[in-house]
Amino acid sequence: QKEVEQDPGPLSVPEGAIVSLNCTYSNSAFQYFMWYRQYSRKGPELLMYTYSSGNKEDGRFTAQVDKSSKYISLFIRDSQPSDSATYLCAMSGQAGTALIFGKGTTLSVSS
Amino acid sequence: DAGVIQSPRHEVTEMGQEVTLRCKPISGHNSLFWYRQTMMRGLELLIYFNNNVPIDDSGMPEDRFSAKMPNASFSTLKIQPSEPRDSAVYFCASSLEVSSKGRYEQYFGPGTRLTVT
């Protein structure tokens, strides 16, 4: 079992839809959880950062962490064609250490 | 801030040649990471440094790979000799470590796309 599992998709939705992206993990020591967005042929761009459990909201994006279930989610409200990208979840146990990544979910938002 | 800078952006080389990838982290960041991204395996850590000291190189595939960080503003990843299976996108990332329960964000460079023929 990989440490971080993420459904690769692809996920296709119409503009304006609510998108839910998810990852599960096996290492209970993970405390730092991040979501990155990666456009084709670009570097990963940090979207959201969460420490431990709970929710965090930033504009149209909401990140949720459920440590009891070892499950994290990213919600995108009112999705836009510009949200079309690959979304990577990442996590680590300590600040300053390497991130363990999911393989990414490819999202396509059609207008 | 210019962000993490990597060079070259693209590299095409022949099998057996030496390849050197370069990275300039964000000023003030004290941790630097080298990752490799492939379709099959996704993003995987190769090595990371904290305060210029290598901390974890368990992801370095074999002795053909080496990395250095001579100062806080520069790092290199060298492959010698290169092989076709090294073809991938290599990312450098940097972060600023703070005390526990503080912020921890890693920022990535644009990557170097390496093709070994």
Side-chain angles (χ1 to χ4, degrees), chain A residues 47-86:
Chain A
L47 267 182
M48 300 283 287
Y49 149 86
T50 309
Y51 172 76
S52 193
S53 284
N55 295 356
K56 188 171 186 178
E57 187 173 322
D58 184 2
R60 297 185 295 111
F61 298 90
T62 300
Q64 290 185 350
V65 175
D66 181 349
K67 290 191 71 178
S68 62
S69 302
K70 297 189 180 67
Y71 187 86
I72 70 171
S73 301
L74 177 70
F75 297 95
I76 308 174
R77 292 182 298 280
D78 187 25
S79 56
Q80 302 294 310
S82 59
D83 295 327
S84 298
T86 297

Side-chain angles (χ1 to χ4, degrees), chain A residues 11 13-19 21 36-39 45 47 60-61 74-87 105-110:
Chain A
L11 182 60
V13 302
E15 183 175 356
I18 296 175
V19 176
L21 304 168
Y36 286 84
R37 178 174 62 195
Q38 187 174 24
Y39 292 114
E45 170 194 8
L47 267 182
R60 297 185 295 111
F61 298 90
L74 177 70
F75 297 95
I76 308 174
R77 292 182 298 280
D78 187 25
S79 56
Q80 302 294 310
S82 59
D83 295 327
S84 298
T86 297
Y87 290 80
T105 299
T106 299
L107 171 67
S108 176
V109 181
S110 56

